[in-house]
Amino acid sequence: MNLDTVIISDAGGERRLNVDALPLRIGTGTDCELRIPGPGSAVVATLDQLDGRPFLQPGARAADLRVNGDPLRASRALNA
């Protein structure tokens, strides 16, 4: 499986990004490509790919981040 498009659906609608846009920083900082509400200015997680497969890498403030209801405690492969 090769990843060539990332689809992001959030409050702003749906965006399609080429895989060349990865890695994407998810967090509260102004330097994050995917902004989420919250205090401070930190990267919560990074969306990237390895061998054509998408994965999430938790950041320093990922304690409250959940994927399908499960806490993101370590890097996690995503189903494409």
Side-chain angles (χ1 to χ4, degrees):
M1 168 183 56
N2 280 332
L3 180 70
D4 41 329
T5 303
V6 176
I7 301 170
I8 298 168
S9 181
D10 61 14
E14 185 176 285
R15 296 182 278 163
R16 292 178 180 266
L17 303 172
N18 188 292
V19 71
D20 295 335
L22 297 178
L24 296 177
R25 292 170 300 225
I26 303 167
T28 57
T30 57
D31 61 338
C32 293
E33 291 84 10
L34 299 172
R35 300 276 311 272
I36 57 174
S41 179
V43 175
V44 176
T46 302
L47 174 64
D48 207 346
Q49 70 164 332
L50 180 62
D51 298 329
R53 297 194 58 145
F55 71 93
L56 276 176
Q57 172 74 39
R61 291 191 42 210
D64 294 328
L65 186 63
R66 296 183 174 275
V67 177
N68 296 329
D70 298 325
L72 181 65
R73 294 192 175 118
S75 291
R76 177 180 174 148
L78 302 174
N79 294 326

